[in-house]
Amino acid sequence: MIILFGLFVRYDEESDAHWSEHKHENNITSDIENDFYYRYPSFQDVHVMIFVGFGFLMTFLKRYSFGGVGFNFLIAAFGLQWALLMQGWFHSLDPADGQIKIGIENIINADFCVAGCLIAYGALLGKVSPVQLMVLTLFGITLFAVEEYIILHVLHVRDAGGSMVIHTFGAYYGLTISWILYRPKLNQSKNLSGSVYHSDVFAMIGTLFLWMFWPSFNSAIADHGDGQHRAAINTYLALSASVLTTFAISSLSAKRGKLDMVHIQNATLAGGVAMGTAAEFMITTYGSLIVGFCCGIISTFGYLVITPFLEKYMKIQDTCGIHNLHAMPGVLGAVVGAITAATASESVYGHEGLVNTFDFKGEYAERTPAMQGGFQAAGLCVALAFGIVGGAIVGFILRLPFWGDPSDDNCFDDEVYWEKCSLVFPSI
Amino acid sequence: MIILFGLFVRYDEESDAHWSEHKHENNITSDIENDFYYRYPSFQDVHVMIFVGFGFLMTFLKRYSFGGVGFNFLIAAFGLQWALLMQGWFHSLDPADGQIKIGIENIINADFCVAGCLIAYGALLGKVSPVQLMVLTLFGITLFAVEEYIILHVLHVRDAGGSMVIHTFGAYYGLTISWILYRPKLNQSKNLSGSVYHSDVFAMIGTLFLWMFWPSFNSAIADHGDGQHRAAINTYLALSASVLTTFAISSLSAKRGKLDMVHIQNATLAGGVAMGTAAEFMITTYGSLIVGFCCGIISTFGYLVITPFLEKYMKIQDTCGIHNLHAMPGVLGAVVGAITAATASESVYGHEGLVNTFDFKGEYAERTPAMQGGFQAAGLCVALAFGIVGGAIVGFILRLPFWGDPSDDNCFDDEVYWEKCSLVFPSI
Amino acid sequence: MIILFGLFVRYDEESDAHWSEHKHENNITSDIENDFYYRYPSFQDVHVMIFVGFGFLMTFLKRYSFGGVGFNFLIAAFGLQWALLMQGWFHSLDPADGQIKIGIENIINADFCVAGCLIAYGALLGKVSPVQLMVLTLFGITLFAVEEYIILHVLHVRDAGGSMVIHTFGAYYGLTISWILYRPKLNQSKNLSGSVYHSDVFAMIGTLFLWMFWPSFNSAIADHGDGQHRAAINTYLALSASVLTTFAISSLSAKRGKLDMVHIQNATLAGGVAMGTAAEFMITTYGSLIVGFCCGIISTFGYLVITPFLEKYMKIQDTCGIHNLHAMPGVLGAVVGAITAATASESVYGHEGLVNTFDFKGEYAERTPAMQGGFQAAGLCVALAFGIVGGAIVGFILRLPFWGDPSDDNCFDDEVYWEKCSLVFPSI
């Protein structure tokens, strides 16, 4: 990794000490115009989502909290280095000297890229070894970079919050791998696959940091100015609608109206996933609420009905329920994005606003909103194809016998991979 | 909610795709002048305070952690949608087309509005049903919006961090409701009204995030430039002084000098509450320290003496002690604000600084600092009146028999409202 | 404290209400140029590191979580007031009126100053009384301010993230005190010096917030523009490399390849410490990775070999292992910084970039990079000398018999200093 960085990676003009001269040449009058100040607060929020959000959301299992937060940390730290290289080769290669120029936007994108692999980990939580996770990440990041290049650059699709690129791809990648690694006798360790009281409270830390900072996730790489502003507001609204419907459906579906913590930890977030594409568009405030409303219903319903169905009939064991939180809302988000794009008009966006929002510039100056809608839909198909085909290939690689995966008895148990944790854990 | 948003809510000019044209018309040269960049970092800090701060502070009960963080989440997500509508009608209605224009400042204000209801929840924690909480929030937000309109717009009072508008109102609203919902036989479930070791550590997460981000709370909607800068510094100083006096009083008041975790979790925050009004004024650095010093004493003393007194003689059961953390410091903060405003002078603020800080513009150009001090004091009376009268009305509504409130036996117990949590909770 | 602030501390021109006039006089066209907007997001990240990061990292002991997070809170709140005064006298004294002018940069520096004392607390965790900690902080802050003045102003050394000023000083200060306060019979309470399952998960909260926000720590007071941008990217890369080597070494060093949570909680952070000096230089991306790679190895190796060695042969009891996380990486960071500075050239930095990065202005206009490298090395010696000599003096003061330090039996036990915590803690 060090050698590759040494050969290929350099600072971009905004993080290089030549910035003073760059300012003079481009008549930039103030340091505050450095992209760093536009994006750094959102970057840190995204960073928190990746490490604390995903990490703590996965501590809910009673004896796999170390594995949840610890392996999440490992995957993320490994993945973001690899992502800087992979995404750099596709997006930030300077044709003048053949080197990757990195700045704040690259490290946000690396965090996004890692998010795809962490989603996939959600389906496999407790059932794979750290080595398998490294392999999953290595291939996942590589596939992600290619998929992202095709969607964002070849098809020129807009997907600032990654409904397609991150969530749809990551979820189907993980689900396909989980399908191939199906363990028919997993019920043997079923007594460990639940939560205890305090592990559920730990998981709420993850949920809340994901929930709060999702507006930053969807706005982090949106356009300066109104784009970032609007993306944050739309996501905030969709998320708040998801919470209400999740509480309502969770309570209505149970005997005596009791709430299920699994729903609250997960389905409340579905609105953010589904706004990944359309957040920066003029989807309107009530449009955002409708999206959040629908996602809360779909996602809670998924936990109640679809996850047991997938496990029983489709042989897909999905530990965290990523099908409900990422796959379905991701696809929905892509569809919403395509429709919103297809119906965009100059009267709503203004001429300049339309050009800026959809980046109808250069070779894309002739594209119309209707065409853009079609390309958005095509982007969804690419994401699905990469997730499923890529997941199948990586799944078969992970089935090779030398990766040290835990036996069925040892699933969902930290004792296999962590020192001393068994001694200090009282009988629960 | 969706219909109301559809009819009434639109993006403001800084979050609308017409921002490019707005920039040209107003000679704005850079996207960084979008209000988003001035306020978004503070917004996210406030957001963390609302969801993680309040949420985790309320996990301290040994068997009500789900209810503490979960219902906090529900109230907040519901409340902020309703607050956008209610506050919008009073503050952001565009007379040209009768629609509410929303941007970053509106969503910060919605979070503030929700804070008032969450404070009230603190007095009722463990004793009310989720449906009662929704009713409390619905009326609480509505009352808040009217009260805020009278204080900030009719009386033209300055209250950027909401000592009056948020804390005084919220605390007396909650205390009055708690008084009306008094449960004489609550001691039956008293064995559940304490904490366990790890639930106290969870609560410290809430305390620390509230404590750290309070400078953002008090500066989030202060004036651009020196106003936000000064509000953050003053709050930071007052909070640090509160911590020292809280540790000192807590230790001095106990036999053998032991510290009480309840004091550390709560009274350390009192300085932030009390700086809600005066933080953006030129209160001086030592003024901030004095305020924090006094509040730490008052608040810790409240937990030691006043809360037991209120419960025994006034029949007010205040689970989290909001009288000590919000009511008394809020009133003190309003008084400090009135005095600081009344004694403001051009020699201290400069001419322009005085006009900007107190917004002596337009129809208020003739107002003097002494008059402003009087109006500040009037604002406090309005907040108190709304809290007590509003709380009485809502309290009687909540006593109606069909809201499904828990029996005395079931208070402070998650088992009534949450699935499965009893099974996994070992005998403690 | 209030009196001292009253006599000496005033707002600086950016947080004073005269900012409007200051803008006119200095042709500043926008409020966004107020330093507040350049630094506030990083300030809040640093604030989180100090209170949540250090605080929760120290909750790992099974019965000392209250003391870990609680006394951390006390030290930090006390220390930052004292630091504003002490650092102010040395750095921000206005010669015109003999007063300290404070703004955003001062409160960031106060947080940094406090970090030095919290590092020292790490060596003493569980073995000293709160009063001893206050004394340690009082002297520690004072020594820090003098040391910082000599390093940054007299020697004109660059150390934005404090490898020398904060980490090296703080670690040797704490280790020396711990050496003087050696308790030969501490093994009596050894059964309390370990962790339990959930206390380790709490500690991971601290680890992750430190890890995520370290880029803000190293960039918070770096130069506007490219300096802050580059410091964040370099730190991000070094940290990610540390994680990988920590997991690898931890796994390779154990029988059956199991991971040790202590390593994951601590050694993953070493890359951030070691980039404290060089982060703002043009160290290159692969340089950052190399630093992080080496630190992960050194630090994990330290936990495996050096900490037991120090305890057994050197009589230094280092509860949190600060020698591995702060002392060694801090010294390494200072050496890396000196080398990077000595090898700087105009071809890499550009003429203006070189002058800005090393501040070769005014009386230092004649300094060359090679000379700067020598001064950087001298700075390290100053930090070491202050840490060891200062620690020895304060250690002897703390051995005086009237500070109420706990007996060996009561070490690592919250029951001595906290109410009620024994009752609610089940037999573990």
Coordinates of all heavy atoms in Angstrom, one line a residue, chain B residues 33 38 45 195 197 205 211-213 216 225-226 228-230 234 236 240-241 247 254 258-259 282 284-286 289 348-349 352 356, chain C residues 6 9 11 14-18 20 24 30 32 34 37 40 44 47 51 56 63 65 70 81 104 107 111 414-415 417 419 424-425:
Chain B
E33 N -21.2 32.3 1.1 CA -22.1 33.3 1.8 C -23.5 32.7 2.0 O -24.3 33.4 2.7 CB -22.2 34.6 1.0 CG -20.9 35.4 1.0 CD -20.5 35.9 2.4 OE1 -21.4 36.1 3.2 OE2 -19.3 36.1 2.6
Y38 N -22.5 29.2 7.4 CA -22.4 29.9 8.7 C -23.0 29.0 9.8 O -22.5 29.1 10.9 CB -23.2 31.2 8.7 CG -22.5 32.4 8.0 CD1 -22.7 32.6 6.6 CD2 -21.6 33.2 8.6 CE1 -22.1 33.7 6.0 CE2 -20.9 34.2 8.0 CZ -21.2 34.5 6.7 OH -20.6 35.5 6.0
D45 N -24.3 20.1 15.7 CA -24.1 20.0 17.2 C -25.4 20.0 18.0 O -25.6 19.2 18.9 CB -23.2 21.1 17.7 CG -21.8 21.0 17.1 OD1 -21.4 19.9 16.5 OD2 -21.0 21.9 17.2
S195 N -30.7 3.9 39.5 CA -29.8 3.5 38.4 C -29.0 2.3 38.7 O -28.9 1.9 39.8 CB -28.9 4.7 38.0 OG -28.1 5.0 39.2
Y197 N -25.0 0.6 37.6 CA -23.6 1.1 37.3 C -23.5 1.5 35.8 O -23.2 2.7 35.5 CB -22.6 0.1 37.6 CG -21.2 0.6 37.7 CD1 -20.8 1.4 38.7 CD2 -20.3 0.2 36.7 CE1 -19.5 1.9 38.8 CE2 -18.9 0.7 36.7 CZ -18.5 1.5 37.8 OH -17.3 2.0 37.8
I205 N -22.8 9.7 28.6 CA -22.7 10.0 27.2 C -23.6 11.2 26.9 O -23.2 12.2 26.2 CB -23.1 8.8 26.3 CG1 -22.2 7.6 26.5 CG2 -23.1 9.2 24.9 CD1 -22.7 6.4 25.8
W211 N -22.9 18.9 27.2 CA -22.0 19.9 27.8 C -21.1 20.4 26.7 O -20.9 21.7 26.6 CB -21.1 19.2 28.9 CG -20.4 20.1 29.7 CD1 -20.8 20.7 30.9 CD2 -19.0 20.6 29.5 NE1 -19.8 21.5 31.4 CE2 -18.7 21.5 30.6 CE3 -18.1 20.4 28.5 CZ2 -17.5 22.1 30.7 CZ3 -16.9 21.1 28.6 CH2 -16.6 21.9 29.6
M212 N -20.5 19.5 25.9 CA -19.6 20.0 24.9 C -20.2 20.9 23.8 O -19.6 21.8 23.3 CB -19.0 18.8 24.2 CG -18.1 17.9 25.1 SD -17.5 16.5 24.2 CE -18.9 15.7 23.5
F213 N -21.4 20.5 23.4 CA -22.0 21.2 22.3 C -22.9 22.4 22.7 O -23.5 23.1 21.8 CB -22.8 20.3 21.4 CG -21.9 19.3 20.6 CD1 -22.5 18.1 20.1 CD2 -20.6 19.5 20.4 CE1 -21.7 17.2 19.4 CE2 -19.8 18.7 19.7 CZ -20.3 17.5 19.2
S216 N -22.5 25.6 20.9 CA -23.1 25.7 19.6 C -24.6 26.0 19.7 O -25.2 26.7 18.9 CB -23.0 24.3 18.8 OG -21.6 24.0 18.6
G225 N -20.6 36.4 12.6 CA -19.4 37.1 13.0 C -19.2 37.1 14.5 O -19.1 36.0 15.1
D226 N -19.0 38.3 15.0 CA -18.6 38.4 16.5 C -19.7 37.8 17.4 O -19.4 37.3 18.4 CB -18.4 39.8 16.8 CG -19.6 40.7 16.7 OD1 -20.1 40.8 15.5 OD2 -20.0 41.3 17.7
Q228 N -21.8 35.1 17.0 CA -21.6 33.6 17.2 C -20.3 33.3 17.9 O -20.3 32.5 18.8 CB -21.6 32.9 15.8 CG -22.9 32.9 15.1 CD -23.0 31.9 14.0 OE1 -22.3 32.1 13.0 NE2 -23.8 30.9 14.1
H229 N -19.3 34.1 17.6 CA -18.0 33.8 18.2 C -18.0 34.1 19.7 O -17.6 33.2 20.5 CB -17.0 34.8 17.6 CG -15.5 34.5 17.7 ND1 -14.6 34.9 16.9 CD2 -14.9 33.8 18.7 CE1 -13.4 34.4 17.2 NE2 -13.5 33.8 18.3
R230 N -18.6 35.2 20.1 CA -18.7 35.6 21.6 C -19.6 34.6 22.3 O -19.3 34.2 23.4 CB -19.2 37.0 21.7 CG -19.0 37.6 23.1 CD -19.2 39.1 23.0 NE -20.4 39.5 22.4 CZ -20.5 40.1 21.2 NH1 -19.4 40.4 20.5 NH2 -21.7 40.5 20.7
N234 N -18.4 32.6 25.7 CA -19.1 32.8 27.0 C -19.7 31.5 27.5 O -19.6 31.3 28.7 CB -20.2 33.9 26.8 CG -19.6 35.3 26.7 OD1 -18.5 35.6 27.2 ND2 -20.4 36.1 26.0
Y236 N -18.9 28.4 26.8 CA -17.7 27.5 27.2 C -17.2 27.9 28.6 O -17.0 27.0 29.4 CB -16.7 27.7 26.1 CG -15.3 27.1 26.2 CD1 -15.0 25.9 25.6 CD2 -14.3 27.8 26.8 CE1 -13.8 25.4 25.6 CE2 -13.0 27.3 26.8 CZ -12.7 26.1 26.3 OH -11.5 25.6 26.3
S240 N -17.7 25.6 32.1 CA -16.5 25.0 32.8 C -16.6 25.4 34.3 O -16.2 24.7 35.2 CB -15.2 25.5 32.2 OG -15.1 26.9 32.3
A241 N -17.1 26.6 34.6 CA -17.3 27.0 36.0 C -18.3 26.2 36.7 O -18.1 25.8 37.9 CB -17.7 28.5 36.1
F247 N -18.8 19.7 41.3 CA -18.0 18.7 42.0 C -17.8 19.1 43.5 O -17.8 18.3 44.4 CB -16.7 18.6 41.3 CG -16.7 17.5 40.2 CD1 -17.0 17.8 38.9 CD2 -16.3 16.2 40.5 CE1 -17.0 16.8 37.9 CE2 -16.3 15.2 39.5 CZ -16.7 15.5 38.2
A254 N -21.9 15.6 51.1 CA -22.1 14.2 51.5 C -21.2 13.8 52.6 O -20.1 14.4 52.8 CB -21.8 13.3 50.3
K258 N -18.1 11.9 49.4 CA -18.4 11.1 48.2 C -19.2 12.0 47.2 O -20.1 12.7 47.6 CB -19.1 9.8 48.4 CG -18.2 8.8 49.1 CD -18.8 7.4 49.1 CE -18.0 6.4 49.9 NZ -18.6 5.1 49.8
L259 N -18.9 11.7 45.9 CA -19.6 12.4 44.8 C -20.9 11.7 44.5 O -20.9 10.5 44.5 CB -18.7 12.5 43.6 CG -17.4 13.4 43.8 CD1 -16.4 13.0 42.7 CD2 -17.8 14.8 43.7
M282 N -22.1 41.4 25.5 CA -20.8 41.6 26.0 C -20.8 41.4 27.6 O -20.5 42.3 28.3 CB -20.3 43.0 25.7 CG -20.1 43.3 24.2 SD -18.6 42.5 23.5 CE -17.4 43.6 24.3
T284 N -18.8 39.9 29.4 CA -17.4 39.7 29.8 C -17.1 38.3 30.2 O -18.0 37.6 30.6 CB -17.0 40.7 31.0 OG1 -17.6 40.2 32.2 CG2 -17.4 42.1 30.7
T285 N -15.8 38.0 30.2 CA -15.5 36.6 30.5 C -15.7 36.3 31.9 O -16.1 35.2 32.3 CB -14.0 36.3 30.1 OG1 -13.2 37.3 30.8 CG2 -13.7 36.5 28.6
Y286 N -15.4 37.2 32.8 CA -15.6 36.9 34.2 C -17.1 36.9 34.6 O -17.5 36.1 35.5 CB -14.8 37.8 35.2 CG -15.2 39.3 35.0 CD1 -16.1 39.9 35.9 CD2 -14.6 40.1 34.1 CE1 -16.4 41.2 35.8 CE2 -14.9 41.4 33.9 CZ -15.8 42.0 34.8 OH -16.2 43.3 34.7
L289 N -18.1 33.4 34.0 CA -17.7 32.5 35.0 C -18.5 32.7 36.3 O -18.9 31.7 36.9 CB -16.2 32.8 35.4 CG -15.2 32.4 34.4 CD1 -13.8 32.8 34.9 CD2 -15.2 30.9 34.2
V348 N -19.0 50.2 25.3 CA -18.6 48.8 25.4 C -18.8 48.1 24.0 O -18.0 47.3 23.6 CB -19.4 48.1 26.5 CG1 -19.1 46.6 26.5 CG2 -19.0 48.7 27.8
Y349 N -19.9 48.4 23.4 CA -20.3 47.6 22.2 C -19.8 48.3 20.9 O -19.8 47.7 19.8 CB -21.8 47.5 22.1 CG -22.4 46.5 23.1 CD1 -22.5 46.8 24.4 CD2 -22.8 45.2 22.7 CE1 -23.1 45.9 25.3 CE2 -23.3 44.3 23.6 CZ -23.5 44.7 24.9 OH -24.0 43.8 25.8
E352 N -22.1 50.5 16.0 CA -22.6 49.5 15.1 C -22.9 48.2 15.9 O -23.8 47.5 15.7 CB -21.6 49.2 14.0 CG -22.0 49.8 12.7 CD -21.1 49.3 11.6 OE1 -20.0 49.8 11.5 OE2 -21.4 48.3 10.9
N356 N -26.3 46.1 16.1 CA -26.4 44.7 15.6 C -26.7 43.7 16.7 O -27.5 42.8 16.5 CB -25.0 44.3 15.0 CG -24.7 44.9 13.7 OD1 -25.6 45.4 13.0 ND2 -23.4 45.0 13.4
Chain C
G6 N -11.4 38.6 35.7 CA -11.9 40.0 35.7 C -10.8 41.0 35.5 O -11.0 42.0 34.8
V9 N -8.7 39.2 31.5 CA -9.1 38.6 30.3 C -10.2 39.5 29.6 O -11.2 39.9 30.2 CB -9.7 37.2 30.5 CG1 -10.1 36.5 29.2 CG2 -8.6 36.4 31.2
Y11 N -12.3 40.0 25.4 CA -12.5 39.4 24.1 C -11.5 40.0 23.1 O -11.1 41.2 23.2 CB -13.9 39.8 23.6 CG -15.0 39.3 24.5 CD1 -15.8 40.3 25.1 CD2 -15.3 38.0 24.7 CE1 -16.9 39.9 26.0 CE2 -16.3 37.6 25.6 CZ -17.1 38.5 26.2 OH -18.1 38.1 27.0
E14 N -12.1 39.8 17.2 CA -13.0 39.0 16.4 C -14.2 38.5 17.2 O -15.2 38.0 16.6 CB -12.2 37.8 15.8 CG -11.2 38.3 14.8 CD -10.7 37.2 13.9 OE1 -10.5 36.1 14.4 OE2 -10.5 37.5 12.7
S15 N -14.1 38.5 18.5 CA -15.2 38.1 19.3 C -15.8 39.3 20.1 O -16.8 39.2 20.8 CB -14.8 37.0 20.3 OG -13.8 37.4 21.2
D16 N -15.3 40.5 19.8 CA -15.8 41.7 20.5 C -16.8 42.4 19.6 O -16.8 42.2 18.4 CB -14.6 42.7 20.7 CG -15.0 43.8 21.6 OD1 -15.6 44.8 21.1 OD2 -14.6 43.8 22.8
A17 N -17.8 43.1 20.2 CA -18.8 43.7 19.5 C -18.3 44.8 18.6 O -19.0 45.3 17.7 CB -19.9 44.3 20.4
H18 N -17.0 45.2 18.7 CA -16.4 46.2 17.8 C -15.9 45.5 16.5 O -15.3 46.2 15.7 CB -15.2 46.9 18.4 CG -15.6 47.8 19.5 ND1 -15.8 47.4 20.8 CD2 -15.9 49.1 19.5 CE1 -16.1 48.4 21.6 NE2 -16.2 49.5 20.8
S20 N -17.5 44.9 13.8 CA -18.0 45.7 12.6 C -17.0 46.7 12.2 O -16.6 46.9 11.1 CB -19.3 46.3 12.9 OG -20.2 45.4 13.3
H24 N -14.3 47.2 8.9 CA -14.2 48.4 8.1 C -12.7 48.8 8.0 O -12.1 49.1 6.9 CB -15.0 49.6 8.6 CG -16.4 49.3 8.7 ND1 -17.1 48.5 7.8 CD2 -17.4 49.6 9.6 CE1 -18.4 48.4 8.1 NE2 -18.6 49.1 9.3
S30 N -16.4 40.3 4.6 CA -17.4 39.4 4.9 C -17.2 38.8 6.3 O -16.1 38.6 6.8 CB -17.4 38.2 3.9 OG -18.2 37.1 4.4
I32 N -17.7 35.9 7.2 CA -17.2 34.5 7.1 C -15.6 34.5 7.3 O -15.0 33.5 7.5 CB -17.6 33.8 5.8 CG1 -17.5 32.3 6.0 CG2 -16.8 34.3 4.6 CD1 -18.8 31.6 6.1
N34 N -14.2 35.9 9.7 CA -13.9 35.8 11.2 C -13.3 34.4 11.4 O -13.8 33.4 10.9 CB -15.3 36.0 11.9 CG -15.1 36.2 13.4 OD1 -14.4 35.4 14.1 ND2 -15.7 37.3 13.9
Y37 N -15.1 31.0 11.8 CA -15.6 30.1 10.8 C -14.6 29.2 10.2 O -14.8 28.1 9.7 CB -16.4 30.8 9.7 CG -17.5 31.6 10.3 CD1 -17.5 33.0 10.6 CD2 -18.7 30.9 10.7 CE1 -18.5 33.6 11.2 CE2 -19.7 31.6 11.3 CZ -19.6 32.9 11.5 OH -20.7 33.5 12.2
Y40 N -14.0 26.8 14.1 CA -15.0 26.3 15.0 C -15.3 24.8 14.8 O -15.4 24.0 15.8 CB -16.3 27.1 15.0 CG -17.2 26.8 16.1 CD1 -16.9 27.1 17.4 CD2 -18.4 26.1 15.9 CE1 -17.7 26.8 18.5 CE2 -19.3 25.8 17.0 CZ -18.9 26.1 18.2 OH -19.7 25.8 19.3
Q44 N -14.8 22.0 17.9 CA -15.8 21.1 18.5 C -15.3 19.7 18.4 O -15.5 18.9 19.4 CB -17.1 21.3 17.9 CG -17.9 22.5 18.4 CD -18.4 22.3 19.9 OE1 -17.9 21.4 20.6 NE2 -19.2 23.2 20.3
H47 N -12.8 19.3 21.2 CA -13.6 19.3 22.4 C -14.2 17.9 22.7 O -14.1 17.4 23.8 CB -14.7 20.3 22.3 CG -15.0 21.1 23.5 ND1 -14.1 21.6 24.3 CD2 -16.2 21.6 24.0 CE1 -14.6 22.3 25.3 NE2 -15.9 22.3 25.1
F51 N -13.3 15.4 26.0 CA -14.2 15.0 27.1 C -14.8 13.6 26.8 O -14.8 12.8 27.7 CB -15.4 16.1 27.1 CG -14.9 17.4 27.7 CD1 -14.4 18.4 27.0 CD2 -15.0 17.5 29.1 CE1 -13.9 19.6 27.5 CE2 -14.5 18.7 29.7 CZ -14.0 19.7 28.9
F56 N -14.1 8.5 27.8 CA -14.6 7.1 27.7 C -13.4 6.1 27.5 O -13.6 4.9 27.8 CB -15.6 7.0 26.6 CG -17.0 7.3 27.1 CD1 -17.4 8.6 27.3 CD2 -17.8 6.3 27.6 CE1 -18.7 8.9 27.9 CE2 -19.0 6.5 28.2 CZ -19.4 7.8 28.3
R63 N -14.4 -1.6 37.5 CA -15.1 -0.8 38.6 C -14.6 0.6 38.7 O -14.6 1.2 39.8 CB -14.9 -1.5 40.0 CG -15.7 -2.8 40.0 CD -15.8 -3.3 41.4 NE -16.8 -2.6 42.2 CZ -17.3 -3.0 43.3 NH1 -17.0 -4.2 43.7 NH2 -18.1 -2.3 44.0
S65 N -15.2 3.0 36.1 CA -15.7 3.8 34.9 C -16.2 5.2 35.4 O -16.0 6.2 34.6 CB -16.9 3.1 34.3 OG -16.5 1.8 33.8
G70 N -15.6 10.6 35.0 CA -15.9 11.7 35.9 C -14.7 12.6 36.2 O -14.8 13.9 36.1
Q81 N -9.8 26.5 32.2 CA -9.8 27.9 32.7 C -8.4 28.4 33.1 O -8.0 29.5 32.7 CB -10.7 28.0 34.0 CG -12.2 27.8 33.7 CD -13.0 27.8 35.0 OE1 -12.8 28.6 35.9 NE2 -13.9 26.9 35.2
I104 N -11.3 32.3 19.4 CA -11.4 30.8 19.2 C -10.1 30.1 19.3 O -10.1 29.0 19.8 CB -12.1 30.6 17.8 CG1 -12.3 29.1 17.5 CG2 -11.3 31.2 16.7 CD1 -13.6 28.6 18.1
I107 N -9.3 29.2 22.9 CA -10.0 28.1 23.6 C -9.6 26.7 23.0 O -9.6 25.7 23.7 CB -11.5 28.3 23.6 CG1 -12.2 28.4 22.3 CG2 -11.8 29.6 24.4 CD1 -13.7 28.5 22.3
D111 N -7.8 23.7 25.2 CA -8.2 22.2 25.1 C -6.9 21.4 24.9 O -6.7 20.3 25.5 CB -9.2 22.0 24.0 CG -10.6 22.1 24.5 OD1 -10.9 22.5 25.6 OD2 -11.5 21.9 23.6
D414 N -14.4 2.5 42.3 CA -15.2 3.7 42.4 C -15.8 3.9 43.8 O -16.2 5.1 44.1 CB -16.3 3.7 41.4 CG -15.9 4.2 40.1 OD1 -15.0 5.0 40.0 OD2 -16.5 3.8 39.1
E415 N -15.9 2.9 44.6 CA -16.6 3.0 45.8 C -16.1 4.0 46.8 O -16.8 4.6 47.6 CB -16.6 1.6 46.5 CG -17.9 1.4 47.2 CD -17.8 0.1 48.1 OE1 -17.4 -0.9 47.5 OE2 -18.2 0.1 49.2
Y417 N -14.9 7.0 46.1 CA -15.2 8.4 45.8 C -16.6 8.7 45.3 O -16.9 9.8 45.1 CB -14.2 8.9 44.8 CG -12.7 8.9 45.2 CD1 -11.8 8.1 44.6 CD2 -12.4 9.7 46.3 CE1 -10.5 8.1 45.1 CE2 -11.1 9.6 46.8 CZ -10.1 8.8 46.2 OH -8.8 8.8 46.6
E419 N -20.9 7.9 45.5 CA -22.0 7.4 46.3 C -22.7 6.2 45.6 O -22.8 6.2 44.4 CB -23.1 8.5 46.4 CG -22.8 9.7 47.2 CD -23.1 9.5 48.7 OE1 -23.6 8.5 49.0 OE2 -22.8 10.4 49.4
V424 N -25.4 -1.0 43.6 CA -26.1 -1.3 42.4 C -25.2 -2.2 41.5 O -25.6 -2.5 40.4 CB -26.6 -0.1 41.6 CG1 -27.6 0.7 42.5 CG2 -25.4 0.8 41.3
F425 N -24.1 -2.5 42.0 CA -23.1 -3.3 41.1 C -23.2 -4.7 41.5 O -22.7 -5.1 42.6 CB -21.7 -2.7 41.3 CG -20.8 -3.1 40.2 CD1 -20.9 -2.5 39.0 CD2 -19.8 -4.0 40.4 CE1 -20.0 -2.8 38.0 CE2 -19.0 -4.4 39.4 CZ -19.1 -3.8 38.2

